[in-house]
């Protein structure tokens, strides 16, 4: 069987792919398990897709792992997700290094439990010299939080006389977001059949191609990822021109 991978044009790859990893709970429920089991299996997909992205030569892969709104889930689920985050980061650091992957994080990291923040920072430091794929984890992230936060910082700079109102433009705003220095996504994928953006990268996806699949995140595999890239390559991007 030929793989979608062989059909991908290596000279026209999306530079940055963002994924809303959704459907863990439903995937588990359909199999008679609790939601946590779905999150645990979602880690396998994270591993597979990170490897696929690194192999094929994607520069940035951003994964929406935990939203600002997700803090409102039952405490037991939040705790389980934070535990999973800690364990995964710890276990995967050697593999990230082996695959030349650099870990980054966006979001309000101050809200993470101390231990999670610590392990995260350690992995970021230990992979910071890698030059292959940049894997960006969105944690305690939401776009409205990010934009609100940037407005506060910009206002303070104006108050302090370091910036003038007339300095504010598209580029300046981008440079105050947590995604500064990361190019806007070319392709955004959402799994699980929901057709919405759920407060993810609202500013950054102005001209991003959107791709929705019914497959739940724990079932999402390399072939599904290649298929999304192939579909992207068949789109015509006009950027309003
Ligand atoms: C995505 O799966 C993972 C997180 C949001 C942390 P869900 O937990 O949202 O699973 P569903 O969408 O309820 O099936
Ligand atoms: C979006 O999924 C957040 C993440 C994937 C981390 P949700 O399951 O939280 O979003 P809604 O509630 O379906 O919009
Ligand atoms: Mg969901």
């Amino acid at each position: 069987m030929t793989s979608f991978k062989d059909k991908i044009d290596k000279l026209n790859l999306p530079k940055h792919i963002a994924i809303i990893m959704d459907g863990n709970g439903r995937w588990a429920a359909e199999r008679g398990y609790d939601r946590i089991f779905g999150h645990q299996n979602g880690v396998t997909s994270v591993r597979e897709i990170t490897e696929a992205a690194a192999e094929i030569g994607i520069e940035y892969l951003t994964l929406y792992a935990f939203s600002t709104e997700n803090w409102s889930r039952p405490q037991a689920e939040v705790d389980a997700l934070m535990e999973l985050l800690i364990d995964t980061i710890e276990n995967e650091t050697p593999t990230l290094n082996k695959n030349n992957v650099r870990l980054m994080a966006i979001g309000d990291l101050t809200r993470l439990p101390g231990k999670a923040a610590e392990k995260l920072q350690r992995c970021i430091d230990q992979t910071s010299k890698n030059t292959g794929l940049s894997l960006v984890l969105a944690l305690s992230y939401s776009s409205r939080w990010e934009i609100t936060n940037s407005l506060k910082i910009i206002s303070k700079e104006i108050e302090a006389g370091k910036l003038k109102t007339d300095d504010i433009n598209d580029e300046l705003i981008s440079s105050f977001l947590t995604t500064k220095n990361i190019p806007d996504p070319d392709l955004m994928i959402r799994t699980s059949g929901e057709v919405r953006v759920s407060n993810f990268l609202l500013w950054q996806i102005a001209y991003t191609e959107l791709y929705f699949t019914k497959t739940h995140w724990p079932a999402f595999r390399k072939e599904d990822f290649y298929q999304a890239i192939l579909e992207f390559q068949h789109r015509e991007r006009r950027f309003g021109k």
Side-chain angles (χ1 to χ4, degrees), residues 83-152:
E83 275 300 314
L84 203 56
L85 174 69
I86 293 171
D87 292 349
T88 306
I89 285 171
E90 197 143 63
N91 295 336
E92 297 300 320
T93 304
T95 311
L96 294 179
N97 278 324
K98 194 183 100 214
N99 294 333
N100 197 21
V101 177
R102 169 174 69 147
L103 187 76
M104 299 169 75
I106 57 171
D108 187 1
L109 306 179
T110 62
R111 289 187 73 179
L112 294 178
K115 197 168 167 204
E118 224 174 83
K119 303 266 172 186
L120 180 67
Q121 194 53 51
R122 189 177 309 161
C123 184
I124 289 171
D125 294 343
Q126 289 177 349
T127 60
S128 66
K129 302 234 157 51
N130 293 337
T131 55
L133 172 73
S134 294
L135 172 64
V136 185
L137 289 186
L139 288 166
S140 187
Y141 176 89
S142 72
S143 225
R144 287 188 176 182
W145 164 80
E146 177 180 53
I147 292 169
T148 306
N149 187 54
S150 79
L151 286 177
K152 285 185 192 164

Side-chain angles (χ1 to χ4, degrees), residues 5-240:
K5 190 184 185 185
D6 304 324
K7 298 194 180 134
I8 292 173
D9 175 3
K10 301 288 186 320
L11 300 174
N12 180 29
L13 287 172
K15 194 174 182 157
H16 181 181
I17 301 178
I19 306 183
I20 303 174
M21 310 185 287
D22 196 21
N24 293 355
R26 279 164 287 163
W27 180 89
E30 282 166 15
R31 285 157 183 78
Y33 293 101
D34 66 10
R35 302 177 53 81
I36 313 294
F37 185 71
H39 297 315
Q40 288 164 342
N41 278 273
V43 175
T44 308
S45 304
V46 169
R47 205 179 289 127
E48 286 249 333
I49 301 314
T50 302
E51 195 180 88
E55 261 170 30
I56 204 168
I58 303 297
E59 291 181 42
Y60 293 88
L61 175 68
T62 300
L63 301 179
Y64 202 6
F66 195 88
S67 73
T68 304
E69 290 76 17
N70 290 153
W71 288 116
S72 308
R73 290 193 180 191
Q75 193 58 42
E77 186 177 352
V78 171
D79 291 347
L81 282 165
M82 290 302 140
E83 275 300 314
L84 203 56
L85 174 69
I86 293 171
D87 292 349
T88 306
I89 285 171
E90 197 143 63
N91 295 336
E92 297 300 320
T93 304
T95 311
L96 294 179
N97 278 324
K98 194 183 100 214
N99 294 333
N100 197 21
V101 177
R102 169 174 69 147
L103 187 76
M104 299 169 75
I106 57 171
D108 187 1
L109 306 179
T110 62
R111 289 187 73 179
L112 294 178
K115 197 168 167 204
E118 224 174 83
K119 303 266 172 186
L120 180 67
Q121 194 53 51
R122 189 177 309 161
C123 184
I124 289 171
D125 294 343
Q126 289 177 349
T127 60
S128 66
K129 302 234 157 51
N130 293 337
T131 55
L133 172 73
S134 294
L135 172 64
V136 185
L137 289 186
L139 288 166
S140 187
Y141 176 89
S142 72
S143 225
R144 287 188 176 182
W145 164 80
E146 177 180 53
I147 292 169
T148 306
N149 187 54
S150 79
L151 286 177
K152 285 185 192 164
I153 306 171
I154 291 170
S155 305
K156 281 183 187 149
E157 299 264 304
I158 292 174
E159 278 168 12
K162 290 185 197 155
L163 269 182
K164 293 190 290 294
T165 304
D166 282 343
D167 294 334
I168 298 178
N169 58 27
D170 191 321
E171 250 171 76
L172 181 108
I173 294 170
S174 295
S175 76
F176 280 90
L177 300 176
T178 57
T179 50
K180 63 172 181 290
N181 303 324
I182 299 175
D184 289 342
D186 302 292
L187 170 64
M188 179 183 279
I189 299 171
R190 181 170 189 148
T191 60
S192 91
E194 306 299 350
V195 186
R196 56 175 171 262
V197 178
S198 301
N199 219 345
F200 193 37
L201 303 174
L202 302 181
W203 172 272
Q204 297 87 340
I205 60 171
Y207 276 100
T208 299
E209 295 296 325
L210 307 179
Y211 178 90
F212 298 96
T213 171
K214 291 206 161 64
T215 306
H216 290 315
W217 178 250
F220 195 81
R221 287 292 172 269
K222 288 186 180 185
E223 275 302 296
D224 302 294
F225 185 63
Y226 298 142
Q227 192 175 6
I229 295 173
L230 211 55
E231 155 87 27
F232 165 85
Q233 293 188 328
H234 288 127
R235 304 257 182 104
E236 186 196 347
R237 301 181 79 189
R238 286 193 286 269
F239 301 99

